[in-house]
PDB file of all heavy atoms in Angstrom:
ATOM      1  N   LEU A 208       0.840  -1.250  -0.036  1.00 96.00           N
ATOM      2  CA  LEU A 208      -0.038   0.096   0.050  1.00 96.00           C
ATOM      3  C   LEU A 208       0.896   1.270  -0.042  1.00 96.00           C
ATOM      4  O   LEU A 208       1.784   1.423   0.838  1.00 96.00           O
ATOM      5  CB  LEU A 208      -0.911   0.035   1.231  1.00 96.00           C
ATOM      6  CG  LEU A 208      -1.891   1.239   1.335  1.00 96.00           C
ATOM      7  CD1 LEU A 208      -2.893   1.191   0.126  1.00 96.00           C
ATOM      8  CD2 LEU A 208      -2.691   1.051   2.661  1.00 96.00           C
ATOM      9  N   ASP A 209       0.570   2.127  -0.900  1.00 97.00           N
ATOM     10  CA  ASP A 209       1.370   3.450  -1.057  1.00 97.00           C
ATOM     11  C   ASP A 209       0.780   4.368   0.042  1.00 97.00           C
ATOM     12  O   ASP A 209      -0.429   4.582   0.139  1.00 97.00           O
ATOM     13  CB  ASP A 209       1.081   4.053  -2.380  1.00 97.00           C
ATOM     14  CG  ASP A 209       1.986   5.268  -2.677  1.00 97.00           C
ATOM     15  OD1 ASP A 209       3.136   5.161  -2.608  1.00 97.00           O
ATOM     16  OD2 ASP A 209       1.319   6.440  -2.757  1.00 97.00           O
ATOM     17  N   VAL A 210       1.670   4.938   0.941  1.00 97.00           N
ATOM     18  CA  VAL A 210       1.285   5.660   2.078  1.00 97.00           C
ATOM     19  C   VAL A 210       1.921   7.078   1.993  1.00 97.00           C
ATOM     20  O   VAL A 210       3.147   7.138   1.829  1.00 97.00           O
ATOM     21  CB  VAL A 210       1.633   4.935   3.374  1.00 97.00           C
ATOM     22  CG1 VAL A 210       1.100   5.751   4.648  1.00 97.00           C
ATOM     23  CG2 VAL A 210       1.098   3.482   3.446  1.00 97.00           C
ATOM     24  N   GLY A 211       1.106   8.071   2.317  1.00 98.00           N
ATOM     25  CA  GLY A 211       1.644   9.391   2.367  1.00 98.00           C
ATOM     26  C   GLY A 211       0.890  10.293   3.263  1.00 98.00           C
ATOM     27  O   GLY A 211       0.001   9.801   4.096  1.00 98.00           O
ATOM     28  N   VAL A 212       1.230  11.609   3.384  1.00 98.00           N
ATOM     29  CA  VAL A 212       0.435  12.496   4.147  1.00 98.00           C
ATOM     30  C   VAL A 212      -0.168  13.512   3.246  1.00 98.00           C
ATOM     31  O   VAL A 212       0.397  13.801   2.179  1.00 98.00           O
ATOM     32  CB  VAL A 212       1.361  13.143   5.235  1.00 98.00           C
ATOM     33  CG1 VAL A 212       1.966  12.099   6.157  1.00 98.00           C
ATOM     34  CG2 VAL A 212       2.404  14.034   4.520  1.00 98.00           C
ATOM     35  N   SER A 213      -1.220  14.194   3.630  1.00 96.00           N
ATOM     36  CA  SER A 213      -1.905  15.152   2.986  1.00 96.00           C
ATOM     37  C   SER A 213      -1.840  16.317   3.908  1.00 96.00           C
ATOM     38  O   SER A 213      -2.351  16.410   5.022  1.00 96.00           O
ATOM     39  CB  SER A 213      -3.331  14.869   2.691  1.00 96.00           C
ATOM     40  OG  SER A 213      -4.021  15.863   1.991  1.00 96.00           O
ATOM     41  N   THR A 214      -1.200  17.491   3.466  1.00 95.00           N
ATOM     42  CA  THR A 214      -0.896  18.624   4.233  1.00 95.00           C
ATOM     43  C   THR A 214      -1.366  19.866   3.687  1.00 95.00           C
ATOM     44  O   THR A 214      -1.269  20.195   2.519  1.00 95.00           O
ATOM     45  CB  THR A 214       0.651  18.751   4.353  1.00 95.00           C
ATOM     46  OG1 THR A 214       1.136  17.516   4.924  1.00 95.00           O
ATOM     47  CG2 THR A 214       1.045  19.851   5.273  1.00 95.00           C
ATOM     48  N   VAL A 215      -2.068  20.676   4.611  1.00 92.00           N
ATOM     49  CA  VAL A 215      -2.581  21.928   4.247  1.00 92.00           C
ATOM     50  C   VAL A 215      -1.671  23.082   4.803  1.00 92.00           C
ATOM     51  O   VAL A 215      -1.531  23.081   6.116  1.00 92.00           O
ATOM     52  CB  VAL A 215      -3.961  22.219   4.733  1.00 92.00           C
ATOM     53  CG1 VAL A 215      -4.456  23.617   4.388  1.00 92.00           C
ATOM     54  CG2 VAL A 215      -4.940  21.113   4.188  1.00 92.00           C
ATOM     55  N   LEU A 216      -1.008  23.788   3.961  1.00 92.00           N
ATOM     56  CA  LEU A 216       0.016  24.760   4.490  1.00 92.00           C
ATOM     57  C   LEU A 216      -0.638  26.207   4.505  1.00 92.00           C
ATOM     58  O   LEU A 216      -1.304  26.671   3.630  1.00 92.00           O
ATOM     59  CB  LEU A 216       1.186  24.882   3.469  1.00 92.00           C
ATOM     60  CG  LEU A 216       1.884  23.556   3.309  1.00 92.00           C
ATOM     61  CD1 LEU A 216       3.012  23.760   2.115  1.00 92.00           C
ATOM     62  CD2 LEU A 216       2.647  23.144   4.561  1.00 92.00           C
ATOM     63  N   SER A 217      -0.424  26.840   5.590  1.00 89.00           N
ATOM     64  CA  SER A 217      -0.929  28.212   5.736  1.00 89.00           C
ATOM     65  C   SER A 217       0.119  29.095   5.031  1.00 89.00           C
ATOM     66  O   SER A 217       1.233  28.812   4.870  1.00 89.00           O
ATOM     67  CB  SER A 217      -1.078  28.590   7.193  1.00 89.00           C
ATOM     68  OG  SER A 217       0.241  28.712   7.814  1.00 89.00           O
ATOM     69  N   ARG A 218      -0.359  30.379   4.687  1.00 90.00           N
ATOM     70  CA  ARG A 218       0.597  31.367   4.056  1.00 90.00           C
ATOM     71  C   ARG A 218       1.732  31.617   5.028  1.00 90.00           C
ATOM     72  O   ARG A 218       2.879  31.793   4.666  1.00 90.00           O
ATOM     73  CB  ARG A 218      -0.122  32.524   3.666  1.00 90.00           C
ATOM     74  CG  ARG A 218       0.735  33.444   2.744  1.00 90.00           C
ATOM     75  CD  ARG A 218      -0.081  34.558   2.053  1.00 90.00           C
ATOM     76  NE  ARG A 218      -0.205  35.667   2.935  1.00 90.00           N
ATOM     77  CZ  ARG A 218      -0.675  36.924   2.547  1.00 90.00           C
ATOM     78  NH1 ARG A 218      -1.121  37.087   1.241  1.00 90.00           N
ATOM     79  NH2 ARG A 218      -0.763  37.860   3.349  1.00 90.00           N
ATOM     80  N   ASP A 219       1.390  31.761   6.331  1.00 91.00           N
ATOM     81  CA  ASP A 219       2.353  32.160   7.342  1.00 91.00           C
ATOM     82  C   ASP A 219       3.447  30.955   7.497  1.00 91.00           C
ATOM     83  O   ASP A 219       4.585  31.278   7.552  1.00 91.00           O
ATOM     84  CB  ASP A 219       1.653  32.292   8.733  1.00 91.00           C
ATOM     85  CG  ASP A 219       2.613  32.748   9.796  1.00 91.00           C
ATOM     86  OD1 ASP A 219       3.185  33.821   9.638  1.00 91.00           O
ATOM     87  OD2 ASP A 219       2.802  31.943  10.797  1.00 91.00           O
ATOM     88  N   MET A 220       3.003  29.700   7.369  1.00 92.00           N
ATOM     89  CA  MET A 220       3.896  28.620   7.449  1.00 92.00           C
ATOM     90  C   MET A 220       4.913  28.642   6.290  1.00 92.00           C
ATOM     91  O   MET A 220       6.093  28.351   6.375  1.00 92.00           O
ATOM     92  CB  MET A 220       3.160  27.369   7.625  1.00 92.00           C
ATOM     93  CG  MET A 220       3.919  26.101   7.884  1.00 92.00           C
ATOM     94  SD  MET A 220       2.858  24.689   8.116  1.00 92.00           S
ATOM     95  CE  MET A 220       4.100  23.341   8.211  1.00 92.00           C
ATOM     96  N   ILE A 221       4.352  28.931   5.095  1.00 93.00           N
ATOM     97  CA  ILE A 221       5.148  29.012   3.970  1.00 93.00           C
ATOM     98  C   ILE A 221       6.210  30.079   4.003  1.00 93.00           C
ATOM     99  O   ILE A 221       7.399  29.905   3.714  1.00 93.00           O
ATOM    100  CB  ILE A 221       4.304  29.194   2.658  1.00 93.00           C
ATOM    101  CG1 ILE A 221       3.343  28.069   2.420  1.00 93.00           C
ATOM    102  CG2 ILE A 221       5.180  29.463   1.387  1.00 93.00           C
ATOM    103  CD1 ILE A 221       2.210  28.357   1.453  1.00 93.00           C
ATOM    104  N   ARG A 222       5.793  31.232   4.467  1.00 94.00           N
ATOM    105  CA  ARG A 222       6.684  32.443   4.486  1.00 94.00           C
ATOM    106  C   ARG A 222       7.733  32.351   5.578  1.00 94.00           C
ATOM    107  O   ARG A 222       8.827  33.018   5.497  1.00 94.00           O
ATOM    108  CB  ARG A 222       5.873  33.743   4.570  1.00 94.00           C
ATOM    109  CG  ARG A 222       5.137  33.959   3.324  1.00 94.00           C
ATOM    110  CD  ARG A 222       4.402  35.305   3.289  1.00 94.00           C
ATOM    111  NE  ARG A 222       3.684  35.483   1.979  1.00 94.00           N
ATOM    112  CZ  ARG A 222       2.985  36.469   1.695  1.00 94.00           C
ATOM    113  NH1 ARG A 222       2.917  37.567   2.541  1.00 94.00           N
ATOM    114  NH2 ARG A 222       2.361  36.563   0.494  1.00 94.00           N
ATOM    115  N   ARG A 223       7.462  31.605   6.593  1.00 93.00           N
ATOM    116  CA  ARG A 223       8.362  31.420   7.696  1.00 93.00           C
ATOM    117  C   ARG A 223       9.471  30.280   7.351  1.00 93.00           C
ATOM    118  O   ARG A 223      10.345  30.044   8.177  1.00 93.00           O
ATOM    119  CB  ARG A 223       7.662  30.988   8.984  1.00 93.00           C
ATOM    120  CG  ARG A 223       6.932  32.149   9.662  1.00 93.00           C
ATOM    121  CD  ARG A 223       6.140  31.711  10.864  1.00 93.00           C
ATOM    122  NE  ARG A 223       5.383  32.628  11.524  1.00 93.00           N
ATOM    123  CZ  ARG A 223       5.856  33.496  12.470  1.00 93.00           C
ATOM    124  NH1 ARG A 223       7.037  33.114  13.004  1.00 93.00           N
ATOM    125  NH2 ARG A 223       5.152  34.406  13.072  1.00 93.00           N
ATOM    126  N   GLY A 224       9.270  29.700   6.186  1.00 92.00           N
ATOM    127  CA  GLY A 224      10.164  28.621   5.757  1.00 92.00           C
ATOM    128  C   GLY A 224      10.054  27.405   6.649  1.00 92.00           C
ATOM    129  O   GLY A 224      10.991  26.563   6.669  1.00 92.00           O
ATOM    130  N   GLN A 225       8.828  27.100   7.209  1.00 95.00           N
ATOM    131  CA  GLN A 225       8.602  26.050   8.019  1.00 95.00           C
ATOM    132  C   GLN A 225       8.278  24.723   7.298  1.00 95.00           C
ATOM    133  O   GLN A 225       8.271  23.667   7.920  1.00 95.00           O
ATOM    134  CB  GLN A 225       7.495  26.229   9.003  1.00 95.00           C
ATOM    135  CG  GLN A 225       7.861  27.400  10.054  1.00 95.00           C
ATOM    136  CD  GLN A 225       6.677  27.743  10.899  1.00 95.00           C
ATOM    137  OE1 GLN A 225       5.585  27.511  10.667  1.00 95.00           O
ATOM    138  NE2 GLN A 225       7.107  28.243  12.183  1.00 95.00           N
ATOM    139  N   THR A 226       7.984  24.894   5.969  1.00 96.00           N
ATOM    140  CA  THR A 226       7.643  23.697   5.177  1.00 96.00           C
ATOM    141  C   THR A 226       8.780  22.611   5.139  1.00 96.00           C
ATOM    142  O   THR A 226       8.643  21.431   5.179  1.00 96.00           O
ATOM    143  CB  THR A 226       7.217  24.063   3.749  1.00 96.00           C
ATOM    144  OG1 THR A 226       6.373  25.149   3.835  1.00 96.00           O
ATOM    145  CG2 THR A 226       6.619  22.934   2.977  1.00 96.00           C
ATOM    146  N   GLU A 227       9.975  23.198   5.017  1.00 95.00           N
ATOM    147  CA  GLU A 227      11.152  22.359   4.964  1.00 95.00           C
ATOM    148  C   GLU A 227      11.354  21.574   6.266  1.00 95.00           C
ATOM    149  O   GLU A 227      11.571  20.365   6.158  1.00 95.00           O
ATOM    150  CB  GLU A 227      12.435  23.240   4.821  1.00 95.00           C
ATOM    151  CG  GLU A 227      13.724  22.458   4.486  1.00 95.00           C
ATOM    152  CD  GLU A 227      13.967  22.498   2.986  1.00 95.00           C
ATOM    153  OE1 GLU A 227      13.949  23.560   2.392  1.00 95.00           O
ATOM    154  OE2 GLU A 227      14.325  21.448   2.472  1.00 95.00           O
ATOM    155  N   GLU A 228      11.077  22.129   7.358  1.00 95.00           N
ATOM    156  CA  GLU A 228      11.175  21.430   8.672  1.00 95.00           C
ATOM    157  C   GLU A 228      10.046  20.349   8.709  1.00 95.00           C
ATOM    158  O   GLU A 228      10.267  19.265   9.189  1.00 95.00           O
ATOM    159  CB  GLU A 228      11.006  22.410   9.863  1.00 95.00           C
ATOM    160  CG  GLU A 228      11.326  21.838  11.185  1.00 95.00           C
ATOM    161  CD  GLU A 228      11.382  22.791  12.304  1.00 95.00           C
ATOM    162  OE1 GLU A 228      11.349  24.084  11.967  1.00 95.00           O
ATOM    163  OE2 GLU A 228      11.547  22.474  13.426  1.00 95.00           O
ATOM    164  N   PHE A 229       8.860  20.738   8.285  1.00 96.00           N
ATOM    165  CA  PHE A 229       7.805  19.748   8.246  1.00 96.00           C
ATOM    166  C   PHE A 229       8.195  18.511   7.391  1.00 96.00           C
ATOM    167  O   PHE A 229       7.882  17.365   7.768  1.00 96.00           O
ATOM    168  CB  PHE A 229       6.545  20.357   7.775  1.00 96.00           C
ATOM    169  CG  PHE A 229       5.414  19.455   7.510  1.00 96.00           C
ATOM    170  CD1 PHE A 229       4.705  18.888   8.593  1.00 96.00           C
ATOM    171  CD2 PHE A 229       5.064  18.986   6.249  1.00 96.00           C
ATOM    172  CE1 PHE A 229       3.695  18.017   8.424  1.00 96.00           C
ATOM    173  CE2 PHE A 229       4.155  17.997   6.081  1.00 96.00           C
ATOM    174  CZ  PHE A 229       3.365  17.545   7.135  1.00 96.00           C
ATOM    175  N   LEU A 230       8.729  18.783   6.196  1.00 97.00           N
ATOM    176  CA  LEU A 230       9.110  17.664   5.321  1.00 97.00           C
ATOM    177  C   LEU A 230      10.113  16.712   5.952  1.00 97.00           C
ATOM    178  O   LEU A 230      10.091  15.600   5.793  1.00 97.00           O
ATOM    179  CB  LEU A 230       9.563  18.237   3.984  1.00 97.00           C
ATOM    180  CG  LEU A 230       8.512  18.907   3.121  1.00 97.00           C
ATOM    181  CD1 LEU A 230       9.117  19.542   1.857  1.00 97.00           C
ATOM    182  CD2 LEU A 230       7.373  17.927   2.746  1.00 97.00           C
ATOM    183  N   ALA A 231      11.035  17.341   6.652  1.00 96.00           N
ATOM    184  CA  ALA A 231      12.044  16.513   7.354  1.00 96.00           C
ATOM    185  C   ALA A 231      11.419  15.629   8.302  1.00 96.00           C
ATOM    186  O   ALA A 231      11.783  14.438   8.463  1.00 96.00           O
ATOM    187  CB  ALA A 231      13.093  17.400   7.976  1.00 96.00           C
ATOM    188  N   PHE A 232      10.443  16.021   9.009  1.00 97.00           N
ATOM    189  CA  PHE A 232       9.672  15.357  10.025  1.00 97.00           C
ATOM    190  C   PHE A 232       8.918  14.230   9.356  1.00 97.00           C
ATOM    191  O   PHE A 232       8.919  13.105   9.781  1.00 97.00           O
ATOM    192  CB  PHE A 232       8.706  16.293  10.835  1.00 97.00           C
ATOM    193  CG  PHE A 232       7.815  15.522  11.721  1.00 97.00           C
ATOM    194  CD1 PHE A 232       8.205  14.934  12.933  1.00 97.00           C
ATOM    195  CD2 PHE A 232       6.443  15.293  11.380  1.00 97.00           C
ATOM    196  CE1 PHE A 232       7.372  14.234  13.696  1.00 97.00           C
ATOM    197  CE2 PHE A 232       5.631  14.511  12.132  1.00 97.00           C
ATOM    198  CZ  PHE A 232       6.063  14.095  13.326  1.00 97.00           C
ATOM    199  N   THR A 233       8.246  14.540   8.271  1.00 97.00           N
ATOM    200  CA  THR A 233       7.481  13.638   7.512  1.00 97.00           C
ATOM    201  C   THR A 233       8.247  12.533   7.003  1.00 97.00           C
ATOM    202  O   THR A 233       7.878  11.340   7.041  1.00 97.00           O
ATOM    203  CB  THR A 233       6.719  14.355   6.435  1.00 97.00           C
ATOM    204  OG1 THR A 233       5.833  15.392   6.918  1.00 97.00           O
ATOM    205  CG2 THR A 233       5.896  13.422   5.600  1.00 97.00           C
ATOM    206  N   GLU A 234       9.463  12.833   6.454  1.00 96.00           N
ATOM    207  CA  GLU A 234      10.318  11.753   5.964  1.00 96.00           C
ATOM    208  C   GLU A 234      10.668  10.796   6.990  1.00 96.00           C
ATOM    209  O   GLU A 234      10.787   9.520   6.741  1.00 96.00           O
ATOM    210  CB  GLU A 234      11.584  12.430   5.236  1.00 96.00           C
ATOM    211  CG  GLU A 234      12.447  11.387   4.581  1.00 96.00           C
ATOM    212  CD  GLU A 234      13.443  12.016   3.774  1.00 96.00           C
ATOM    213  OE1 GLU A 234      14.116  12.947   4.260  1.00 96.00           O
ATOM    214  OE2 GLU A 234      13.714  11.604   2.594  1.00 96.00           O
ATOM    215  N   GLY A 235      10.821  11.275   8.194  1.00 96.00           N
ATOM    216  CA  GLY A 235      11.174  10.361   9.360  1.00 96.00           C
ATOM    217  C   GLY A 235      10.096   9.415   9.684  1.00 96.00           C
ATOM    218  O   GLY A 235      10.372   8.414  10.398  1.00 96.00           O
ATOM    219  N   LEU A 236       8.908   9.664   9.201  1.00 97.00           N
ATOM    220  CA  LEU A 236       7.758   8.725   9.521  1.00 97.00           C
ATOM    221  C   LEU A 236       7.799   7.519   8.591  1.00 97.00           C
ATOM    222  O   LEU A 236       7.014   6.539   8.853  1.00 97.00           O
ATOM    223  CB  LEU A 236       6.469   9.556   9.360  1.00 97.00           C
ATOM    224  CG  LEU A 236       6.229  10.647  10.335  1.00 97.00           C
ATOM    225  CD1 LEU A 236       4.911  11.391   9.970  1.00 97.00           C
ATOM    226  CD2 LEU A 236       6.167  10.190  11.728  1.00 97.00           C
ATOM    227  N   GLY A 237       8.597   7.540   7.513  1.00 96.00           N
ATOM    228  CA  GLY A 237       8.705   6.523   6.618  1.00 96.00           C
ATOM    229  C   GLY A 237       7.640   6.356   5.570  1.00 96.00           C
ATOM    230  O   GLY A 237       7.432   5.349   4.967  1.00 96.00           O
ATOM    231  N   VAL A 238       7.040   7.455   5.258  1.00 97.00           N
ATOM    232  CA  VAL A 238       5.967   7.450   4.286  1.00 97.00           C
ATOM    233  C   VAL A 238       6.657   7.746   2.898  1.00 97.00           C
ATOM    234  O   VAL A 238       7.764   8.174   2.823  1.00 97.00           O
ATOM    235  CB  VAL A 238       4.900   8.590   4.439  1.00 97.00           C
ATOM    236  CG1 VAL A 238       4.226   8.276   5.805  1.00 97.00           C
ATOM    237  CG2 VAL A 238       5.474   9.962   4.507  1.00 97.00           C
ATOM    238  N   HIS A 239       5.832   7.486   1.858  1.00 96.00           N
ATOM    239  CA  HIS A 239       6.315   7.570   0.449  1.00 96.00           C
ATOM    240  C   HIS A 239       6.238   9.040  -0.045  1.00 96.00           C
ATOM    241  O   HIS A 239       7.082   9.517  -0.892  1.00 96.00           O
ATOM    242  CB  HIS A 239       5.554   6.678  -0.507  1.00 96.00           C
ATOM    243  CG  HIS A 239       5.676   5.263  -0.281  1.00 96.00           C
ATOM    244  ND1 HIS A 239       4.833   4.507   0.470  1.00 96.00           N
ATOM    245  CD2 HIS A 239       6.631   4.286  -0.594  1.00 96.00           C
ATOM    246  CE1 HIS A 239       5.165   3.229   0.468  1.00 96.00           C
ATOM    247  NE2 HIS A 239       6.318   3.166  -0.112  1.00 96.00           N
ATOM    248  N   GLU A 240       5.134   9.726   0.319  1.00 97.00           N
ATOM    249  CA  GLU A 240       4.913  11.039  -0.319  1.00 97.00           C
ATOM    250  C   GLU A 240       4.211  12.021   0.634  1.00 97.00           C
ATOM    251  O   GLU A 240       3.435  11.626   1.576  1.00 97.00           O
ATOM    252  CB  GLU A 240       3.881  10.680  -1.494  1.00 97.00           C
ATOM    253  CG  GLU A 240       3.409  11.961  -2.236  1.00 97.00           C
ATOM    254  CD  GLU A 240       2.498  11.586  -3.375  1.00 97.00           C
ATOM    255  OE1 GLU A 240       2.852  10.892  -4.307  1.00 97.00           O
ATOM    256  OE2 GLU A 240       1.281  11.975  -3.273  1.00 97.00           O
ATOM    257  N   ALA A 241       4.549  13.247   0.398  1.00 97.00           N
ATOM    258  CA  ALA A 241       3.972  14.367   1.066  1.00 97.00           C
ATOM    259  C   ALA A 241       3.128  15.094  -0.011  1.00 97.00           C
ATOM    260  O   ALA A 241       3.660  15.691  -0.953  1.00 97.00           O
ATOM    261  CB  ALA A 241       4.890  15.334   1.720  1.00 97.00           C
ATOM    262  N   TRP A 242       1.834  15.056   0.119  1.00 97.00           N
ATOM    263  CA  TRP A 242       0.889  15.778  -0.919  1.00 97.00           C
ATOM    264  C   TRP A 242       0.575  17.104  -0.245  1.00 97.00           C
ATOM    265  O   TRP A 242       0.012  17.156   0.819  1.00 97.00           O
ATOM    266  CB  TRP A 242      -0.367  14.917  -1.006  1.00 97.00           C
ATOM    267  CG  TRP A 242      -1.514  15.501  -1.703  1.00 97.00           C
ATOM    268  CD1 TRP A 242      -2.192  16.624  -1.468  1.00 97.00           C
ATOM    269  CD2 TRP A 242      -2.173  14.914  -2.885  1.00 97.00           C
ATOM    270  NE1 TRP A 242      -3.119  16.907  -2.335  1.00 97.00           N
ATOM    271  CE2 TRP A 242      -3.291  15.853  -3.201  1.00 97.00           C
ATOM    272  CE3 TRP A 242      -2.029  13.763  -3.534  1.00 97.00           C
ATOM    273  CZ2 TRP A 242      -4.137  15.558  -4.250  1.00 97.00           C
ATOM    274  CZ3 TRP A 242      -2.935  13.482  -4.646  1.00 97.00           C
ATOM    275  CH2 TRP A 242      -3.938  14.445  -4.895  1.00 97.00           C
ATOM    276  N   LEU A 243       1.023  18.147  -0.865  1.00 96.00           N
ATOM    277  CA  LEU A 243       0.897  19.505  -0.268  1.00 96.00           C
ATOM    278  C   LEU A 243      -0.132  20.399  -0.976  1.00 96.00           C
ATOM    279  O   LEU A 243      -0.176  20.382  -2.224  1.00 96.00           O
ATOM    280  CB  LEU A 243       2.308  20.276  -0.352  1.00 96.00           C
ATOM    281  CG  LEU A 243       3.551  19.476   0.243  1.00 96.00           C
ATOM    282  CD1 LEU A 243       4.757  20.448   0.198  1.00 96.00           C
ATOM    283  CD2 LEU A 243       3.265  19.147   1.778  1.00 96.00           C
ATOM    284  N   SER A 244      -0.865  21.141  -0.305  1.00 93.00           N
ATOM    285  CA  SER A 244      -1.661  22.176  -0.811  1.00 93.00           C
ATOM    286  C   SER A 244      -1.662  23.359   0.226  1.00 93.00           C
ATOM    287  O   SER A 244      -1.502  23.174   1.404  1.00 93.00           O
ATOM    288  CB  SER A 244      -3.132  21.735  -1.051  1.00 93.00           C
ATOM    289  OG  SER A 244      -4.095  22.786  -1.413  1.00 93.00           O
ATOM    290  N   GLU A 245      -1.801  24.530  -0.381  1.00 90.00           N
ATOM    291  CA  GLU A 245      -1.958  25.645   0.470  1.00 90.00           C
ATOM    292  C   GLU A 245      -3.406  25.796   1.017  1.00 90.00           C
ATOM    293  O   GLU A 245      -4.351  25.113   0.407  1.00 90.00           O
ATOM    294  CB  GLU A 245      -1.616  26.972  -0.190  1.00 90.00           C
ATOM    295  CG  GLU A 245      -2.500  27.421  -1.292  1.00 90.00           C
ATOM    296  CD  GLU A 245      -2.267  26.770  -2.706  1.00 90.00           C
ATOM    297  OE1 GLU A 245      -1.316  25.862  -2.660  1.00 90.00           O
ATOM    298  OE2 GLU A 245      -2.900  27.094  -3.591  1.00 90.00           O
ATOM    299  N   VAL A 246      -3.729  26.533   2.006  1.00 87.00           N
ATOM    300  CA  VAL A 246      -5.079  26.794   2.419  1.00 87.00           C
ATOM    301  C   VAL A 246      -5.761  27.478   1.212  1.00 87.00           C
ATOM    302  O   VAL A 246      -5.323  28.445   0.715  1.00 87.00           O
ATOM    303  CB  VAL A 246      -5.131  27.693   3.676  1.00 87.00           C
ATOM    304  CG1 VAL A 246      -6.512  28.059   3.941  1.00 87.00           C
ATOM    305  CG2 VAL A 246      -4.537  27.043   4.865  1.00 87.00           C
ATOM    306  N   LYS A 247      -6.944  26.904   0.841  1.00 86.00           N
ATOM    307  CA  LYS A 247      -7.744  27.432  -0.218  1.00 86.00           C
ATOM    308  C   LYS A 247      -8.852  28.306   0.307  1.00 86.00           C
ATOM    309  O   LYS A 247      -9.487  27.963   1.379  1.00 86.00           O
ATOM    310  CB  LYS A 247      -8.269  26.324  -1.015  1.00 86.00           C
ATOM    311  CG  LYS A 247      -7.291  25.436  -1.776  1.00 86.00           C
ATOM    312  CD  LYS A 247      -6.657  26.143  -2.864  1.00 86.00           C
ATOM    313  CE  LYS A 247      -5.713  25.111  -3.732  1.00 86.00           C
ATOM    314  NZ  LYS A 247      -5.141  25.869  -4.970  1.00 86.00           N
TER     315      LYS A 247
END
């Protein structure tokens, strides 16, 4: 089974450069993919 996370990013999180830190955490969970979208 292909396993990933689905993530909603706020504009503040994007501009603070926190997405990179989040991805590093996500990779440590052993999932295949991070599906990213901004808040719509």
